Amino acid sequence: MKSVYFTEEHELFRQTVRAFMETEVAPHAEDWEAQRRIPRDIWRKMGEMGFLGIIHPEEYGGTDADIFYGIVFLEEICRSRMGGFVAAVGVQEFIATGAIWHRGTHAQKEKYLRGSIDGSMIGAICISEPDAGSDVAALRTTAVRDGDHWVINGAKTWITNGVYADFHVVACKTDRDAGAHGISMIIVDADTPGVSASKLNKMGWHCSDTAEIAYENVRVPAENLVGELNAGFKYIMETFAIERLVTAAMSLGGADVAFEDTLKYMGEREAFGRPINKFQVLRHRLADLFTEVLAAKQLIYHTAWLHQQGLPAVKESSMAKLLATELQKRVSDECLQFFGGFGYVEEYPMARLYRDARVGTIVAGTSEIMREIIAKAEIDGVNFQFKPKASPENAPAPAASAAAPAPAAATVVAAAPAAGATAVMEKPATIAEFFRSLPSRHRPEKTEGWSARVHFKFTDSATPEWTVAIDGAACAVEPGLHGEPSCTVTSTEKLYLGIEDGSESPEMAFMMGKIKVSSPNVMMRYMKSFRRAGN
């Protein structure tokens, strides 16, 4: 379906994530749920695919793509069919690393953000306490300065990734008498003496480690303070806004999976001599749900666009979170009903989808809290404003996102023309013409301090093999395969040039396996290194 928010490149990326979830994650759902743990190696695999740094800066290993690639990822990760997996990954990428990304020092980003992006580290954000959930100003965990260290004491609860995390970003009172203006964010390595975590036994989200964490005289270096002293409340509010958008997108991704499983079942299940999807009473109930989900998605996409403009969108994020989580809860309930007794047994994934959906109206701020935020905005005229992270005039509008690079396998569309791009050559007639034009289209400002060697292989070409070598400001292109490649791309000349002139669909090419990329991360950086050819 055509969209003002999503381009063909976004949809190609969707297929990449979907294929990964359905082949690398979903088949293990039963085991991971039973073990109550997500294996470490899957984090590494996601890091290698470029999935954990979608909107993070290239400087620290991210792909610096627009927020709609993030939305696509959040929707498709639900095909893992494990709400706990979705939550753990969503927290890792968008929540635990948020304050470090926007406010952290270079050293903090090098260690914690880069480690989170490549999958070698797992992060948790620690805000909620036994007596302070959404009431952040009432938190009691303290951090007292002692020379070159902070000494932290307190307890946190409901912490996603809290047991197996490598680091915590902890909200602490650094000025006990200043209320909300005395809160700071401090990074704590999970193996620091005095840190202890225990796993909560939850109704759902079984593979996710939700923890209670205690900090007893935990000493951390003073340089682990994130951003400014006593500015943590503002950072938390910024985090909450994106967390609620993330939760909304994940909720409706889960609703789509429930729909898909239910429609398949209803087409196979017969009653009174015909499939149950032919009974009007059931069809019309589904029709109402389809309509509501599509409407809710448009609110989510609009809210994502506001975030992309550098606006906080606190009200809209709360509306999206309220609507999407309440709707997912209802969708899962209705879909389970359509399964009848089979929906209530563990052999069918519908039981897990139902359990996992229930917590959506609680996490990231309860529905009751969302309603009060919305009421304050609409009735009391409260203007929830924080300093924008990017100026609106510099943020790309949805229609311009076609020029944004796509993470992972979507980057194979190396020659796809971008809207508004400056034409620097006529449409190439051969693959040789295309590659010989690359040095003139090289963008040295994008490759400073970076080296890569990419091999291209074409099965139907008079010049079937090419090497592109980038070394800082230098770009060399030559026929043949030379040196050890950082990435290998395999396709046909006809198809590759067809994508260049727009006559071939990159999405279909990838889905059918006609284009293959060995290292999506390298190709992502490579794609941003060249101006695109004109038509």
Side-chain angles (χ1 to χ4, degrees), residues 58 70 77 93 114 159 170 244 315 366 369 385-386 479:
E58 294 177 14
I77 196 175
E93 177 157 6
R114 184 179 295 280
I159 308 303
V170 185
R244 287 159 185 167
K315 177 184 72 175
T366 64
I369 292 294
Q385 289 291 340
F386 311 112

Side-chain angles (χ1 to χ4, degrees), residues 162-207:
V163 175
Y164 301 121
D166 297 290
F167 67 92
H168 307 159
V169 181
V170 185
C172 305
K173 274 287 184 69
T174 43
D175 185 340
R176 300 189 190 193
D177 300 322
H181 299 291
I183 297 172
S184 299
M185 305 297 287
I186 300 174
I187 304 171
V188 178
D189 290 312
D191 60 359
T192 305
V195 178
S196 60
S198 58
K199 190 181 296 186
L200 295 168
N201 187 18
K202 307 183 300 294
M203 168 181 155
W205 282 13
H206 287 164
C207 69

Side-chain angles (χ1 to χ4, degrees), residues 29-30 33 77-84 86 203-206 250-251 253-262 325 327-336 339 343 345-346 348-360:
E30 294 294 336
E33 287 279 290
I77 196 175
C78 295
R79 293 182 178 275
S80 66
R81 286 174 163 77
M82 293 175 284
V86 175
M203 168 181 155
W205 282 13
H206 287 164
M250 294 189 303
S251 295
D256 284 342
V257 172
F259 280 147
E260 197 169 290
D261 288 356
T262 301
T325 56
L327 183 54
Q328 186 198 14
K329 185 172 69 172
R330 189 150 49 88
V331 167
S332 65
D333 182 64
E334 289 275 19
C335 287
L336 188 147
F339 272 83
V345 296
E346 294 295 336
Y348 281 77
M350 194 62 236
R352 187 191 315 133
L353 294 175
Y354 176 81
R355 287 197 313 274
D356 289 348
R358 183 60 186 86
V359 75

Side-chain angles (χ1 to χ4, degrees), residues 132-361:
S134 298
D135 185 8
V136 176
L139 64 83
R140 298 179 181 179
T141 298
T142 61
V144 177
R145 186 67 180 263
D146 180 18
D148 293 333
H149 289 78
W150 292 101
V151 180
I152 300 176
N153 284 279
K156 300 292 182 179
T157 193
W158 319 122
I159 308 303
T160 300
N161 295 342
V163 175
Y164 301 121
D166 297 290
F167 67 92
H168 307 159
V169 181
V170 185
C172 305
K173 274 287 184 69
T174 43
D175 185 340
R176 300 189 190 193
D177 300 322
H181 299 291
I183 297 172
S184 299
M185 305 297 287
I186 300 174
I187 304 171
V188 178
D189 290 312
D191 60 359
T192 305
V195 178
S196 60
S198 58
K199 190 181 296 186
L200 295 168
N201 187 18
K202 307 183 300 294
M203 168 181 155
W205 282 13
H206 287 164
C207 69
S208 171
D209 53 307
T210 306
E212 292 180 315
I213 303 177
Y215 302 95
E216 185 175 355
N217 294 322
V218 176
R219 296 180 64 86
V220 300
E223 59 264 27
N224 282 24
L225 175 71
V226 180
E228 299 177 14
L229 181 66
N230 296 327
F233 184 80
K234 178 175 69 174
Y235 304 161
I236 292 169
M237 293 301 103
E238 292 172 344
T239 298
F240 278 172
I242 192 68
E243 181 182 21
R244 287 159 185 167
L245 173 61
V246 165
T247 303
M250 294 189 303
S251 295
L252 293 194
D256 284 342
V257 172
F259 280 147
E260 197 169 290
D261 288 356
T262 301
L263 289 174
K264 183 176 184 296
Y265 174 80
M266 292 176 70
E268 297 170 349
R269 173 68 167 167
E270 291 192 358
F272 304 103
R274 56 177 173 161
I276 63 173
N277 64 9
K278 300 301 182 183
F279 289 93
Q280 187 181 79
V281 66
L282 303 183
R283 292 163 62 87
H284 287 188
R285 282 160 66 184
L286 278 171
D288 287 342
L289 293 173
F290 292 146
T291 302
E292 291 180 61
V293 167
L294 182 57
K297 284 184 177 181
Q298 299 310 305
L299 173 58
I300 291 171
Y301 300 156
H302 172 67
T303 303
W305 179 80
L306 292 175
H307 278 278
Q308 184 163 281
Q309 300 301 299
L311 303 172
V314 173
K315 177 184 72 175
E316 293 82 1
S317 295
S318 299
M319 288 176 167
K321 196 269 181 183
L322 172 65
L323 181 60
T325 56
E326 292 285 353
L327 183 54
Q328 186 198 14
K329 185 172 69 172
R330 189 150 49 88
V331 167
S332 65
D333 182 64
E334 289 275 19
C335 287
L336 188 147
Q337 185 72 20
F338 296 144
F339 272 83
F342 291 108
Y344 201 65
V345 296
E346 294 295 336
E347 285 78 3
Y348 281 77
M350 194 62 236
R352 187 191 315 133
L353 294 175
Y354 176 81
R355 287 197 313 274
D356 289 348
R358 183 60 186 86
V359 75
T361 61

Side-chain angles (χ1 to χ4, degrees), residues 505-526:
S505 164
E507 179 178 359
M508 290 303 298
F510 172 73
M511 290 175 60
M512 297 175 68
K514 294 181 179 180
I515 294 180
K516 298 178 181 179
V517 176
S518 67
S519 176
N521 260 351
V522 171
M523 199 59 184
M524 179 69 204
R525 182 73 179 267
Y526 172 90

